[in-house]
Amino acid sequence: MKKLVIAAFFLAFMVNPSWLIAQFSISAELRPRAEMDNGAMRPLPDTLDTKYFVTQRTRLKFDLNREKYQMRLSLQDVRYWGSGDIYSATGMFGSTGGVDIQEAWFRLKLGDSHRVTVGRQVLQLDDQRLIATRNWNQYGISYDAITYGYTRDKWQVSAAVSYNTNANLSNGRQMIDDDLFLTLNKMKTMNYLHVRHDFSKELKASLVAIAAGYLSPKTSSVMYMMGTYGFWLRYDNKTFDVTAEGYYQNGKAQSGKDVKAYMAVLHPGIRAAKLRIGIGVDYFSGDNAENSDYGEMQRTFNKMYGAVFKYYGFMNQYTYMPGSTTNGGLVDLYPNIRLPIGDKHNIAVLYHKFYLANPVMLGGEVVTDKDLGSEADLMYTFKPMKELMLQAGISYYFTTSTFKGIKGLGDTPIREPYWVWAMVTFTPNLFTTE
């Protein structure tokens, strides 16, 4: 199948010389990453060994840009080194796993200010707290949607609508099967309206409203809708910068409970020469196990498709806030330092101190100790040329009894969590017409 898709694309290009009039490019990305995992995402019981593995993301991207429209097709393959299922005792020969479609969309340019994009596409809003590419994940995130964009002067307006279905084909007829959405709480629909204004080079702000739909766990004929509304504000005068954000959620959660939750972000920083020193705080509301109405309402903020690795510790211990905090919510205090060295080197040092926002219920008992421990992250980046980037990092998590409890490990002896990784990203441009 993958050979057929690539062959068809090149054949269409060769037999249609009018494409040469447009701007056409082919680019690639190869990103192998080696990891030593001793408890990333979840601590390991001391009966389990440290995991060592290499994954690789491979992408091939085709872009066509004409006066009235634009098109992109991006093919992707993600695999563990050595995971091919065609092999013998003498070596590895290949894999029956297919190539995935990472992006496949076309965009209509309606005048100078309007555009409509249809298909599988990458989306991000502002600093990606709610809608993100999650590019650290080797797969990344793509969205099947119709989006609208408007840009004029210092205004930007964008909107998206989507409706997702898990479908099987039987004798060529579509048979709808929504079990995937029921069991995994996957979004059935995700829609938003986003308005941004750049007041000056230093000051930018935006407003957003997101409507997310989830199928009822009891019947696929009922959809629960959750609304998220908020603002993003960014000020940067080159010596001082600050980001402030606030979001509120209401409607219905995946469980059908009423939602009343919020999130707040404040992240200031100062620069001295190339050095940036910052201190941030993120607050996610949660449910208080000491309240008499505990469990009757969803008070834990759901950040949906927001970035994780970028903000809440490189070890990804807090990915989905209701589950990652046992509905207690999260407070994240994070001093950080970023130091560019010349034009090719960069060092980032981050420290996260985590707390539950509220007491939680564990094993039928209320846990009032909200200390979740802390995480120290170090990352080094070297970019010797435009197409090549080398990165390496090490992270260590300092655990507490409450942290072990919300991870479901209780009194189980664990290995002290740490994680070491090294990654190479190679992004050559293979072909471009003028």
Side-chain angles (χ1 to χ4, degrees):
M1 179 61 185
K2 61 183 179 181
K3 294 180 179 179
L4 180 61
V5 171
I6 297 174
F9 198 89
F10 275 108
L11 179 61
F13 172 72
M14 294 176 63
V15 301
N16 189 357
S18 65
W19 281 26
L20 295 174
I21 302 174
Q23 185 181 53
F24 177 69
S25 65
I26 305 174
S27 58
E29 179 186 70
L30 291 90
R31 196 174 84 166
R33 182 164 72 218
E35 301 182 41
M36 180 172 65
D37 181 356
N38 195 66
M41 299 190 71
R42 188 173 185 269
L44 294 176
D46 64 0
T47 55
L48 300 180
D49 294 329
T50 302
K51 295 176 288 186
Y52 303 86
F53 55 89
V54 180
T55 59
Q56 178 168 326
R57 178 170 83 187
T58 305
R59 287 178 178 171
L60 187 62
K61 183 169 67 177
F62 305 89
D63 280 291
L64 176 66
N65 193 358
R66 306 196 72 168
E67 181 181 359
K68 294 185 177 181
Y69 64 85
Q70 189 177 348
M71 172 185 168
R72 172 172 294 173
L73 174 62
S74 178
L75 306 179
Q76 172 176 274
D77 176 75
V78 177
R79 66 183 65 238
Y80 285 82
W81 278 14
S83 65
D85 54 5
I86 303 175
Y87 61 92
S88 72
T90 59
M92 185 71 62
F93 302 119
S95 173
T96 59
V99 172
D100 186 25
I101 300 295
Q102 191 248 345
E103 291 186 85
W105 52 259
F106 69 90
R107 175 175 298 156
L108 300 179
K109 303 175 183 178
L110 308 176
D112 296 331
S113 301
H114 306 268
R115 63 190 184 276
V116 175
T117 307
V118 181
R120 173 159 290 189
Q121 53 197 285
V122 171
L123 301 175
Q124 65 180 65
L125 297 180
D126 300 321
D127 60 357
Q128 306 189 62
R129 295 278 181 175
L130 300 179
I131 305 295
T133 61
R134 288 197 182 179
N135 192 51
W136 175 257
N137 185 322
Q138 291 284 48
Y139 291 91
I141 290 185
S142 301
Y143 303 82
D144 297 318
I146 301 174
T147 61
Y148 165 78
Y150 170 84
T151 304
R152 187 169 183 177
D153 297 327
K154 296 181 179 181
W155 288 93
Q156 299 175 40
V157 179
S158 60
V161 293
S162 69
Y163 187 82
N164 304 308
T165 302
N166 183 36
N168 296 319
L169 295 180
S170 177
N171 295 323
R173 183 180 178 182
Q174 188 181 53
M175 307 298 291
I176 304 300
D177 177 10
D178 281 315
D179 286 345
L180 175 66
F181 296 90
L182 296 175
T183 57
L184 298 182
N185 280 337
K186 184 178 177 182
M187 279 189 193
K188 185 70 174 177
T189 179
M190 190 275 291
N191 318 277
Y192 66 75
L193 174 64
H194 178 260
V195 180
R196 171 171 164 167
H197 183 59
D198 295 351
F199 295 93
S200 64
K201 290 183 179 179
E202 294 82 17
L203 181 61
K204 304 173 177 63
S206 71
L207 297 173
V208 67
I210 304 173
Y214 302 87
L215 289 184
S216 164
K218 298 179 181 178
T219 172
S220 60
S221 62
V222 175
M223 188 186 303
Y224 296 133
M225 297 299 299
M226 180 180 71
T228 304
Y229 326 90
F231 72 92
W232 168 84
L233 179 68
R234 172 74 176 174
Y235 177 79
D236 187 350
N237 66 5
K238 304 302 182 184
T239 58
F240 171 78
D241 64 82
V242 60
T243 300
E245 300 173 62
Y247 304 101
Y248 175 76
Q249 283 179 339
N250 65 3
K252 295 285 187 180
Q254 302 100 311
S255 62
K257 296 179 181 179
D258 290 335
V259 176
K260 186 178 180 181
Y262 56 93
M263 171 188 175
V265 174
L266 182 64
H267 187 192
I270 58 174
R271 291 190 183 91
K274 293 184 177 181
L275 174 68
R276 183 190 183 277
I277 301 175
I279 176 71
V281 56
D282 284 25
Y283 183 90
F284 291 85
S285 67
D287 204 348
N288 191 331
E290 293 182 319
N291 289 347
S292 58
D293 62 349
Y294 178 75
E296 295 179 7
M297 179 179 290
Q298 177 66 50
R299 291 189 171 90
T300 308
F301 189 88
N302 182 350
K303 64 182 184 57
M304 298 177 290
Y305 291 120
V308 179
F309 177 86
K310 184 178 181 180
Y311 293 119
Y312 309 111
F314 291 171
M315 294 182 71
N316 286 347
Q317 299 287 353
Y318 305 98
T319 54
Y320 174 64
M321 292 306 167
S324 298
T325 67
T326 319
N327 284 316
L330 183 71
V331 180
D332 178 15
L333 303 174
Y334 50 100
N336 53 88
I337 299 174
R338 298 182 185 274
L339 176 63
I341 304 174
D343 297 328
K344 298 180 179 180
H345 305 268
N346 189 287
I347 296 175
V349 181
L350 303 94
Y351 179 79
H352 294 263
K353 181 57 183 176
F354 297 107
Y355 297 93
L356 289 170
N358 299 279
V360 296
M361 184 73 70
L362 295 176
E365 297 183 359
V366 176
V367 176
T368 58
D369 182 0
K370 296 184 283 187
D371 188 356
L372 292 175
S374 58
E375 179 177 328
D377 299 317
L378 173 65
M379 179 168 67
Y380 166 71
T381 301
F382 173 48
K383 196 165 185 178
M385 62 183 72
K386 178 182 177 182
E387 300 85 357
L388 182 64
M389 181 168 63
L390 294 83
Q391 294 176 288
I394 182 170
S395 299
Y396 190 94
Y397 199 102
F398 301 88
T399 64
T400 64
S401 59
T402 302
F403 173 78
K404 290 176 58 180
I406 67 168
K407 291 295 181 178
L409 292 170
D411 296 328
T412 302
I414 64 170
R415 305 175 68 91
E416 288 301 313
Y418 62 85
W419 176 57
V420 183
W421 59 275
M423 181 170 73
V424 178
T425 305
F426 182 52
T427 54
N429 183 55
L430 306 178
F431 175 83
T432 301
T433 63
E434 298 296 336

